[in-house]
C-alpha cells in the first residue's frame, strides 16, 4: 500500500497474519485502520503515514489491542504506536510499563504527553521527530532511556528527569533537539549526561502544585522550579512544603 493516496480507511481480512515493514508507508489519505483477529506480527514502520489518526484492533486478537485509537500489546503494558496524525495532549494509561520503539515518533501534531509512574523504560526513538512537543516530565520510576529517544524534537525545550540514577543507553538521545534544557537533581546521572553531551542543565528546586499545569484537565500535576529562577509568572500557585505537607 506504499504511497496509496486515495485510501481513507482500511479493514483487513481475518485471514491476514502478518503486516510487513513499511506496509502503509506514505499512504497520505489514510486516517483509520482496523487490524483483524489473526494478525500476530507487525513490521517496522508499517503505519508510517502522517495522516493516520486511529489504529483499531479486533477484540479477539490475542497479540494486540487498541485504546482511543492507539496501538498496544494485548495487556497494554507496552505502547506500540501512537498514530502520526493524532493531535493534542495524550495521557499514557497506567497499565503501561514500556514506551516502545518509535511509539510516538513523527507524531507531528502531538503537543504534550503525560507519562505515568508505571513506566519503567523508554525505548529507542520513542519520541523522535515529535516536532510540536515542548515539555516532558520523566518520572522517577523510569529506569532507562534508549538511543535517539528525543532526537530532532525541534520545539522541545524542557525535559524534567526525576530519577537521579537514570540510565542513558547512548550519547545521542537528544541529537538534533537544539533547544533542550535538562532539569534534574544535583550530582545525578542526568547532570553528568548533560555535561558530557553539551546540553544545558539546571538543578530543579521544590515541586509546586498549580492545578492543571499542562492542560490535560487534571489538577494534580507538578511543576519543578529551577533553583536559579528569579521570577515566577504563574497565578494562584500553591507551594507545598516537602517536610510537613503544608500548603500556603
Amino acid at each position: 500500500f506504499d504511497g496509496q493516496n486515495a485510501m481513507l480507511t482500511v479493514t483487513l481480512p481475518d485471514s491476514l497474519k502478518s503486516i510487513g515493514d513499511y506496509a502503509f508507508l506514505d499512504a497520505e489519505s489514510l486516517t483509520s485502520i482496523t487490524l483483524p483477529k489473526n494478525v500476530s506480527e507487525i513490521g517496522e514502520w508499517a503505519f508510517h503515514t502522517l495522516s493516520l489518526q486511529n489504529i483499531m484492533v479486533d477484540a479477539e486478537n490475542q497479540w494486540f489491542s487498541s485504546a482511543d485509537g492507539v496501538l498496544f500489546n494485548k495487556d497494554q503494558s507496552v505502547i506500540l504506536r501512537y498514530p502520526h496524525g493524532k493531535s493534542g495532549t495524550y495521557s499514557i494509561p497506567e497499565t503501561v510499563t514500556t514506551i516502545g520503539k518509535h511509539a510516538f515518533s513523527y507524531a507531528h501534531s502531538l503537543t504534550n504527553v503525560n507519562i505515568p509512574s508505571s513506566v519503567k523504560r523508554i525505548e529507542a526513538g520513542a519520541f523522535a521527530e515529535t516536532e510540536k512537543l515542548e515539555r516532558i516530565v520523566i518520572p522517577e520510576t523510569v529506569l532507562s532511556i534508549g538511543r535517539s529517544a528525543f532526537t530532532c524534537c525541534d520545539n522541545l525545550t524542557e525535559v524534567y528527569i526525576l530519577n537521579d540514577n537514570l540510565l542513558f543507553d547512548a550519547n545521542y538521545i537528544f541529537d538534533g533537539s537544539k533547544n533542550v534544557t535538562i532539569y534534574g537533581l544535583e550530582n545525578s546521572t542526568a547532570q553528568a549526561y548533560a555535561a558530557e553531551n553539551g546540553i544545558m542543565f539546571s538543578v530543579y528546586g521544590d515541586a509546586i502544585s498549580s492545578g492543571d499545569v499542562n492542560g490535560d484537565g487534571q489538577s494534580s500535576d507538578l511543576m519543578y522550579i529551577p533553583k536559579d529562577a528569579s521570577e515566577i509568572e504563574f497565578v494562584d500557585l500553591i507551594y507545598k512544603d516537602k517536610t510537613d505537607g503544608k500548603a500556603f
Side-chain angles (χ1 to χ4, degrees), residues 2 4-5 11 36 38-40 52 66 68 85 87-88 132 143 152 162 167 187 195 209-210 214-215 218 224 248:
D2 183 355
Q4 294 293 318
N5 295 332
T11 299
N38 291 316
V39 168
S40 60
L52 189 62
S66 176
D68 298 322
S87 62
K132 291 187 177 180
L143 303 177
C152 295
L162 309 190
L167 174 64
N187 299 319
S209 173
S210 61
N214 56 19
Q218 301 179 20
Y224 290 86
F248 52 87

Side-chain angles (χ1 to χ4, degrees), residues 47-113:
F47 306 119
H48 185 54
T49 175
L50 298 182
S51 59
L52 189 62
Q53 297 177 20
N54 289 287
I55 302 172
M56 312 304 291
V57 180
D58 189 299
E60 295 184 25
N61 189 295
Q62 299 179 31
W63 298 275
F64 302 104
S65 64
S66 176
D68 298 322
V70 179
L71 182 65
F72 300 84
N73 67 339
K74 184 61 178 179
D75 67 2
Q76 298 193 0
S77 61
V78 182
I79 184 167
L80 298 172
R81 167 53 63 192
Y82 180 89
H84 293 345
K86 209 170 183 67
S87 62
T89 292
Y90 181 69
S91 293
I92 297 173
E94 293 184 356
T95 56
V96 172
T97 59
T98 299
I99 299 175
K101 184 178 179 181
H102 300 297
F104 290 90
S105 62
Y106 292 94
H108 57 94
S109 295
L110 180 69
T111 56
N112 185 63
V113 176

Side-chain angles (χ1 to χ4, degrees), residues 13-209:
D14 285 343
S15 58
L16 188 68
K17 296 182 178 179
S18 176
I19 298 175
D21 295 349
Y22 308 103
F24 294 92
L25 177 68
D26 294 335
E28 294 179 1
S29 297
L30 182 63
T31 60
S32 180
I33 188 167
T34 300
L35 307 186
K37 62 182 180 181
N38 291 316
V39 168
S40 60
E41 296 181 5
I42 300 175
E44 285 200 314
W45 303 110
F47 306 119
H48 185 54
T49 175
L50 298 182
S51 59
L52 189 62
Q53 297 177 20
N54 289 287
I55 302 172
M56 312 304 291
V57 180
D58 189 299
E60 295 184 25
N61 189 295
Q62 299 179 31
W63 298 275
F64 302 104
S65 64
S66 176
D68 298 322
V70 179
L71 182 65
F72 300 84
N73 67 339
K74 184 61 178 179
D75 67 2
Q76 298 193 0
S77 61
V78 182
I79 184 167
L80 298 172
R81 167 53 63 192
Y82 180 89
H84 293 345
K86 209 170 183 67
S87 62
T89 292
Y90 181 69
S91 293
I92 297 173
E94 293 184 356
T95 56
V96 172
T97 59
T98 299
I99 299 175
K101 184 178 179 181
H102 300 297
F104 290 90
S105 62
Y106 292 94
H108 57 94
S109 295
L110 180 69
T111 56
N112 185 63
V113 176
N114 297 315
I115 302 177
S117 58
S118 58
V119 172
K120 293 179 170 55
R121 176 166 175 76
I122 299 173
E123 293 192 340
F127 295 93
E129 306 271 359
T130 51
E131 59 188 36
K132 291 187 177 180
L133 189 64
E134 297 179 356
R135 174 181 178 271
I136 196 158
V137 177
I138 300 173
E140 188 176 3
T141 54
V142 174
L143 303 177
S144 63
I145 300 180
R147 65 188 184 277
S148 302
F150 294 94
T151 193
C152 295
C153 296
D154 293 342
N155 289 303
L156 185 62
T157 57
E158 300 176 19
V159 177
Y160 293 83
I161 297 177
L162 309 190
N163 182 352
D164 63 353
N165 196 34
L166 182 68
L167 174 64
F168 295 85
D169 285 355
N171 288 331
Y172 41 91
I173 289 171
F174 297 97
D175 272 15
S177 299
K178 300 177 181 178
N179 301 311
V180 166
T181 296
I182 295 176
Y183 296 85
L185 295 168
E186 198 165 12
N187 299 319
S188 63
T189 56
Q191 185 176 28
Y193 179 86
E196 291 170 4
N197 291 276
I199 299 172
M200 292 289 294
F201 181 87
S202 182
V203 177
Y204 64 68
D206 293 326
I208 58 173
S209 173

